[in-house]
Amino acid sequence: SADRRLELHDELLARIGGMPSVETVATGGPPLRGHWFQTRVDAIEGGREIPPGEGVLIGGHMVSDDYFEALGTPLLAGRTFEPRDGRDRFPTIVISESAAAELFPGLDPVGARIRIGISDEGKDAWSEIVGVVGDVLYSPPDQPVLPEVYYSNREFGSVTSTVLVRTTEAETQLIPAIRAPAAALEP
């Protein structure tokens, strides 16, 4: 179930985060590995409806609360995710600097709401922007940076299996130690 996946996810992050050399642990897609999904912005609240297929193409990601810290992605406005995000029917999102420039040129997007092409039963179709972060390159380096939207992995009961760790130890020494709690939780 979605609740059990999130429970396992949170326990895994807690166990890895408790290791002495781990500075930050998170889940989400790593740079240069593509997007969780791609969609278009359907509407900007208070603005006009956008005809199907004409909205800004946006890459999307499901991430844990410390994702931006783990990648070293700067927070430019607002805030990143907190444990309360994703728990009710009103989705909160963080957008990239490119998305902010494309959708809200010259304006502060924090607090604005957009409608994009994903939703879930019982969820509001509009998502509130709570923060803006620096751009991350998810596509190959020879392609332009795509505007990005980030949802908390709690939003739709989704978790990713990619664990990102910022550590003071060499990764070759830490990888076996990270695999142990994952195998213990869910062989």
Side-chain angles (χ1 to χ4, degrees):
S1 70
D3 288 341
R4 179 66 180 139
R5 285 193 313 267
L6 289 173
E7 193 177 285
L8 286 169
H9 172 267
D10 291 347
E11 179 64 23
L12 178 63
L13 291 185
R15 288 184 185 193
I16 294 171
M19 294 177 178
S21 64
V22 172
E23 295 176 338
T24 309
V25 61
T27 56
L32 302 173
R33 284 290 189 80
H35 306 88
W36 185 271
F37 62 89
Q38 287 187 16
T39 189
R40 294 198 179 270
V41 175
D42 296 346
I44 298 172
E45 190 175 57
R48 64 177 177 81
E49 290 286 320
I50 300 169
E54 292 184 20
V56 172
L57 180 64
I58 197 162
H61 307 273
M62 300 285 179
V63 302
S64 66
D65 294 348
D66 292 331
Y67 178 78
F68 305 107
E69 182 181 350
L71 285 185
T73 308
L75 175 65
L76 304 176
R79 65 175 177 83
T80 58
F81 294 119
E82 299 172 348
R84 65 186 163 117
D85 292 312
R87 300 283 186 192
D88 61 22
R89 66 180 223 98
F90 300 103
T92 54
I93 56 175
V94 172
I95 62 173
S96 68
E97 184 176 13
S98 292
E102 184 86 25
L103 297 169
F104 302 93
L107 301 173
D108 178 4
V110 175
R113 294 185 348 143
I114 62 173
R115 191 177 67 213
I116 64 174
I118 68 167
S119 65
D120 201 12
E121 188 174 329
K123 291 279 188 184
D124 192 297
W126 293 89
S127 299
E128 180 181 348
I129 300 166
V130 297
V132 179
V133 295
D135 288 328
V136 175
L137 184 61
Y138 293 100
S139 301
D142 62 339
Q143 295 179 13
V145 172
L146 191 65
E148 307 288 346
V149 61
Y150 301 89
Y151 282 92
S152 166
N153 62 10
R154 291 182 296 271
E155 196 67 63
F156 299 103
S158 299
V159 294
T160 113
S161 59
T162 303
V163 177
L164 307 166
V165 179
R166 182 174 289 276
T167 179
T168 58
E169 192 173 329
E171 69 275 0
T172 54
Q173 296 172 359
L174 190 61
I175 289 172
I178 290 171
R179 287 184 177 145
L185 280 171
E186 189 62 37

